[in-house]
Amino acid sequence: GENVEQHPSTLSVQEGDSAVIKCTYSDSASNYFPWYKQELGKGPQLIIDIRSNVGEKKDQRIAVTLNKTAKHFSLHITETQPEDSAVYFCAASPMDSSYKLIFGSGTRLLVRP
Amino acid sequence: NAGVTQTPKFQVLKTGQSMTLQCAQDMNHEYMSWYRQDPGMGLRLIHYSVGAGITDQGEVPNGYNVSRSTTEDFPLRLLSAAPSQTSVYFCASSYRRASGDPDTQYFGPGTRLTVL
């Protein structure tokens, strides 16, 4: 079955700097890769996702890149702000069964003012 | 729309007790899933449903039962609670896109369960 590894487990950056979180996956059948942000005491919220027919997707300060050959995908946050501080999870699944996501173990991002 | 709602928010059980975690969505989503989240780990899939009357097992189904008698509700039952089931439980739902693929999952706020 699918296995998703996520690094780093914690990341501390200065406000205004960029943050990068990386994930690798094992199942070549996976072609849907969402990223979720989880704030303390809340459920995960989707921030961006990518499907395997594209290599990169941007939404304002957030971007995700996908390398299907190497089976890895990354989240990039530019111009970080204190409100970006949260736990971020990557996940993977085949597109036709994205209700069965396999999650990475999470990255705790701290943005220092 | 209220989105995905879960009750209760917190629950403490004794070993061997049973209980049902409630999940409801008002978005007419076909797909619903239950995950558990343990410290330092990502979410793990317990059970899922692709429509009313249809359920199946995920990664960690042991000790849990589900049913889906309506589109809106997807309760998770613990028949005999064990300390290993202490966790935060999240329900999620998604709809079927025009392409036929499921869309993004939307998560509820979670239920924090402690089993003593």
Side-chain angles (χ1 to χ4, degrees):
Chain A
E2 176 65 278
N3 182 52
V4 177
E5 295 192 356
Q6 183 172 346
H7 300 281
S9 57
T10 59
L11 180 59
S12 179
V13 300
Q14 195 69 36
E15 181 178 359
D17 288 349
S18 295
V20 180
I21 303 170
K22 298 183 179 182
C23 290
T24 60
Y25 62 99
S26 60
D27 189 349
S28 56
S30 289
N31 53 9
Y32 174 65
F33 307 95
W35 285 88
Y36 284 86
K37 175 183 181 181
Q38 186 177 29
E39 296 175 335
L40 196 61
K42 297 186 178 180
Q45 279 194 301
L46 180 80
I47 55 172
I48 195 167
D49 59 8
I50 191 167
R51 296 169 193 260
S52 67
N53 56 341
V54 297
E56 183 175 3
K57 183 176 178 181
K58 277 187 178 180
D59 183 4
Q60 299 183 348
R61 296 186 296 109
I62 294 172
V64 57
T65 58
L66 170 65
N67 183 329
K68 284 221 77 180
T69 303
K71 293 184 187 169
H72 66 71
F73 56 112
S74 301
L75 177 72
H76 304 254
I77 306 174
T78 59
E79 300 173 19
T80 53
Q81 300 166 4
E83 52 265 38
D84 294 329
S85 296
V87 179
Y88 291 80
F89 290 97
C90 63
S93 76
M95 225 180 305
D96 63 358
S97 55
S98 60
Y99 45 84
K100 295 194 290 181
L101 291 172
I102 302 298
F103 281 83
S105 54
T107 296
R108 184 173 300 277
L109 174 65
L110 174 64
V111 180
R112 307 186 306 274
Chain B
N1 286 352
V4 180
T5 58
Q6 292 184 239
T7 55
K9 289 184 191 262
F10 302 95
Q11 182 70 50
V12 179
L13 292 178
K14 294 181 180 178
T15 297
Q17 287 185 315
S18 63
M19 80 158 294
T20 299
L21 280 62
Q22 302 292 344
C23 174
Q25 51 90 9
D26 60 358
M27 299 172 283
N28 204 31
H29 285 177
E30 291 91 344
Y31 305 104
M32 296 186 76
S33 306
W34 275 103
Y35 295 84
R36 61 177 286 172
Q37 183 177 33
D38 300 303
M41 300 179 70
L43 286 75
R44 291 183 292 167
L45 181 67
I46 304 171
H47 285 285
Y48 64 93
S49 169
V50 300
I54 306 170
T55 64
D56 206 344
Q57 298 181 351
E59 296 175 82
V60 288
N62 292 341
Y64 307 96
N65 279 354
V66 292
S67 60
R68 183 103 180 265
S69 56
T70 67
T71 299
E72 294 78 20
D73 300 299
F74 191 41
L76 178 72
R77 296 184 186 85
L78 284 69
L79 300 178
S80 178
S84 60
Q85 294 178 304
T86 294
S87 189
V88 182
Y89 291 85
F90 290 100
C91 179
S93 73
S94 57
Y95 71 91
R96 187 189 306 275
R97 292 155 61 104
S99 64
D101 291 332
D103 196 56
T104 305
Q105 287 196 76
Y106 295 90
F107 284 81
T111 293
R112 184 174 294 274
L113 175 68
T114 301
V115 183
L116 302 175

